Amino acid sequence: MRKVINNSKALVHPVEKWKHINLNPSAPSIKGLIKLHKPEQPIRPVVNWRGAPAYKLAQLFTNKIRLIAPLPHTYTVSNTRELINKLESTQISLHYSLASLDISSLYTSVPMKETEDIIANNLVENGVDPQIRRELLNWYDSITHQNYFSNNEKIFIQQDGLAMGTPSSGFIAEFFLQNLEDTHLRNKHNITAYFRYVDDMLIIYDSRHTDINNIQEYFNTLHPNMKFTAEPESNKQMNFLKTSLSTKHLLNGEPPYTGNLPSQTALSRIPRTTHPYINTPP
């Protein structure tokens, strides 16, 4: 990591290079978090990357590329209020239905080389200086190859996808997902509206011409790495982002939710478990 930072002459001022080097690095550690909101309560692996050699570089990479090559966020929503505002401006008919999709194991499913090419093309399209492009892509390679973690005093190497727990993984995944959406989701499969919050998607579709099973099947053909699970609405209602949404309300010109909206603090802390982290078995 020192060599990578020292070679970054265009992006890092010489007197600030020490700020982006972890002086006392340690191997990332993995724990398990129970997903109480999922059937059979599977365990979500959670990796603590704060002591990792590339942790500060991953933070710097995210901050730099967000400014240099901003993403359009055509389909994403950042909170419940933004979702509600977009729903209120969406035309709804009697035949429209709601459904949600979820990406299974997002980070470990993101193809690293393909995503690097997407980022490289994005940097070119934004007119980024060639030296800065080279340095950013060098950072990308260094960060994405730090795919290892420790458990019970053993080191394990993650074989596929982005490292879990890395400050950069969420933003890198966005490059891949937004490219996938821009490529495949325009006027496809009678989808009237599509909104995504991280790896959770809300879809409005014309039930006269398709159904959620066909839509799920279509989504599962978008990329060999991506697998989607689906949940249909019930009685014209759907729970999404801790909010009960209703197409009935939209048809009647009312706000598209029942009950109270969750605070954005609550949304940012959507509970996945009522238990503390548990150590994963060796």
Side-chain angles (χ1 to χ4, degrees):
M1 292 304 111
R2 290 175 184 270
K3 184 177 180 181
V4 172
I5 291 293
N6 287 333
N7 289 337
S8 301
K9 303 184 184 303
L11 285 170
V12 185
H13 193 280
V15 301
E16 295 185 344
K17 289 183 177 180
W18 66 271
K19 295 180 180 179
H20 309 294
I21 297 173
N22 198 332
L23 300 178
N24 296 294
S26 59
S29 60
I30 189 169
K31 294 180 183 292
L33 192 62
I34 302 173
K35 301 183 189 179
L36 292 184
H37 66 299
K38 296 286 187 180
E40 301 180 3
Q41 298 184 354
I43 293 177
R44 177 195 300 274
V46 179
V47 178
N48 182 355
W49 236 66
R50 287 189 175 275
Y55 179 76
K56 292 184 178 182
L57 180 62
Q59 287 181 313
L60 184 62
F61 173 84
T62 303
N63 293 335
K64 291 288 187 182
I65 202 167
R66 180 180 281 122
L67 295 173
I68 293 171
L71 288 166
H73 294 283
T74 305
Y75 301 102
T76 60
V77 293
S78 58
N79 53 54
T80 308
R81 174 48 62 189
E82 183 180 359
L83 173 66
I84 295 302
N85 289 341
K86 289 187 174 182
L87 284 173
E88 288 178 335
S89 62
T90 301
Q91 290 187 337
I92 298 291
S93 82
L94 184 63
H95 304 287
Y96 288 178
S97 297
L98 293 169
S100 65
L101 293 173
D102 177 77
I103 303 173
S104 301
S105 304
L106 170 60
Y107 287 174
T108 55
S109 299
V110 174
M112 292 191 293
K113 181 61 176 70
E114 184 177 340
T115 303
E116 183 177 14
D117 293 339
I118 292 169
I119 292 174
N121 290 335
N122 186 290
L123 294 173
V124 171
E125 290 171 1
N126 279 277
V128 178
D129 176 80
Q131 177 63 26
I132 292 178
R133 291 205 309 264
R134 286 191 292 271
E135 291 182 12
L136 282 171
L137 293 175
N138 190 27
W139 290 4
Y140 176 92
D141 284 336
S142 300
I143 295 164
T144 55
H145 282 86
Q146 294 284 308
N147 278 14
Y148 68 95
F149 50 84
S150 65
N151 181 255
N152 290 339
E153 300 182 352
K154 294 181 180 179
I155 299 294
F156 299 86
I157 298 176
Q158 182 181 317
Q159 297 296 324
D160 301 305
L162 299 171
M164 298 173 289
T166 317
S168 57
S169 287
F171 199 69
I172 290 173
E174 278 298 317
F175 273 96
F176 173 73
L177 289 176
Q178 292 194 32
N179 180 77
L180 196 70
E181 291 165 342
D182 289 339
T183 303
H184 295 286
L185 294 186
R186 296 187 185 278
N187 302 318
K188 295 287 186 178
H189 237 290
N190 295 291
I191 295 174
T192 303
Y194 168 95
F195 312 98
R196 178 171 57 81
Y197 177 80
V198 190
D199 58 354
D200 294 319
M201 288 140 283
L202 178 70
I203 290 173
I204 301 176
Y205 63 93
D206 190 334
S207 59
R208 294 172 298 178
H209 304 296
T210 190
D211 59 39
I212 186 55
N213 293 323
N214 287 330
I215 291 173
Q216 181 187 11
E217 183 178 351
Y218 166 67
F219 269 74
N220 279 325
T221 67
L222 297 183
H223 194 279
N225 285 28
M226 294 286 114
K227 299 302 176 188
F228 296 83
T229 59
E231 181 181 348
E233 67 177 14
S234 176
N235 193 29
K236 290 294 182 181
Q237 290 191 194
M238 159 109 318
N239 290 322
F240 190 76
L241 298 189
K242 298 187 70 177
T243 305
S244 182
L245 303 173
S246 171
T247 52
K248 289 181 180 178
H249 287 205
L250 279 174
L251 284 168
N252 294 330
E254 302 171 0
Y257 59 90
T258 59
N260 298 319
L261 286 178
S263 69
Q264 297 317 309
T265 300
L267 177 58
S268 68
R269 298 174 181 173
I270 292 177
R272 304 296 184 182
T273 178
T274 57
H275 306 285
Y277 292 136
I278 60 172
N279 288 322
T280 54

